[in-house]
Amino acid sequence: MSANIRIEGLDELERQFDRLADTSKRKVMMKALNAGIAPIKKEAKKNAPVDKGVLKSAIRSKQMRYTQKPAVGLYVAMKGYYWYFIENGTSKMAAAPFLRPAADSKHEEGVNKFKEKLKAEIDKIMIG
């Protein structure tokens, strides 16, 4: 399952971002992406069915490797392998989604956190 969120209307921040040194760009972007995914991750953990906390503790975020542009993803670690069956259901069990609703309900907040963090990090580098 994959969801892409495209953010538009960041023209001024984009111009400032372009003026950063290439070495700073990736670090700034990763900090902003991590801030943006945090509300979605928190909501997914809150919505996860209680199973002695195993599933909740297995929900994590990480930097996506082998991508041209910086990216962060949300995933469920192996100890919570059964998440897929809970999220999508089976022939014997109804679906009880927790990841998709978290992404749907918190994506606006995540975008706002991303913008705030990106602006703060750019200002920190540009202004000093």
Side-chain angles (χ1 to χ4, degrees), residues 5-17:
I5 298 174
R6 187 168 208 44
I7 303 171
E8 296 183 15
L10 296 173
D11 297 333
E12 180 60 32
L13 278 176
E14 188 175 345
R15 281 192 291 279
Q16 289 178 353
F17 184 75

Side-chain angles (χ1 to χ4, degrees), residues 10-26 28-29 118-119 121-127:
L10 296 173
D11 297 333
E12 180 60 32
L13 278 176
E14 188 175 345
R15 281 192 291 279
Q16 289 178 353
F17 184 75
D18 287 339
R19 291 190 303 186
L20 294 177
D22 286 340
T23 55
S24 300
K25 285 182 181 179
R26 188 165 187 86
V28 166
M29 186 58 74
L118 184 62
K119 182 175 180 357
E121 290 297 317
I122 289 172
D123 287 348
K124 188 173 16 173
I125 291 173
M126 298 297 275
I127 297 170

Side-chain angles (χ1 to χ4, degrees), residues 107-118:
H107 78 275
E108 294 265 342
E109 183 182 339
V111 168
N112 290 333
K113 296 273 185 190
F114 170 82
K115 286 180 189 178
E116 291 168 13
K117 187 66 170 179
L118 184 62

Side-chain angles (χ1 to χ4, degrees), residues 6-128:
R6 187 168 208 44
I7 303 171
E8 296 183 15
L10 296 173
D11 297 333
E12 180 60 32
L13 278 176
E14 188 175 345
R15 281 192 291 279
Q16 289 178 353
F17 184 75
D18 287 339
R19 291 190 303 186
L20 294 177
D22 286 340
T23 55
S24 300
K25 285 182 181 179
R26 188 165 187 86
K27 185 184 281 189
V28 166
M29 186 58 74
M30 288 309 301
K31 285 183 179 182
L33 287 169
N34 283 323
I37 203 159
I40 298 169
K41 180 177 162 184
K42 184 177 180 181
E43 185 72 9
K45 285 184 176 207
K46 188 180 99 179
N47 292 346
V50 176
D51 182 26
K52 298 181 183 175
V54 173
L55 187 57
K56 289 179 190 257
S57 67
I59 298 171
R60 301 181 181 152
S61 60
K62 75 175 195 176
Q63 177 182 352
M64 304 303 291
R65 302 209 183 275
Y66 312 113
T67 58
Q68 282 188 318
K69 296 180 181 178
V72 173
L74 199 61
Y75 74 102
V76 180
M78 279 304 294
K79 65 181 177 178
Y81 68 91
Y82 53 90
W83 75 270
Y84 184 85
F85 306 118
I86 294 170
E87 182 79 13
N88 298 300
T90 67
S91 63
K92 309 235 187 263
M93 178 180 84
F98 60 97
L99 287 176
R100 173 52 61 188
D104 291 343
S105 68
K106 293 295 182 174
H107 78 275
E108 294 265 342
E109 183 182 339
V111 168
N112 290 333
K113 296 273 185 190
F114 170 82
K115 286 180 189 178
E116 291 168 13
K117 187 66 170 179
L118 184 62
K119 182 175 180 357
E121 290 297 317
I122 289 172
D123 287 348
K124 188 173 16 173
I125 291 173
M126 298 297 275
I127 297 170

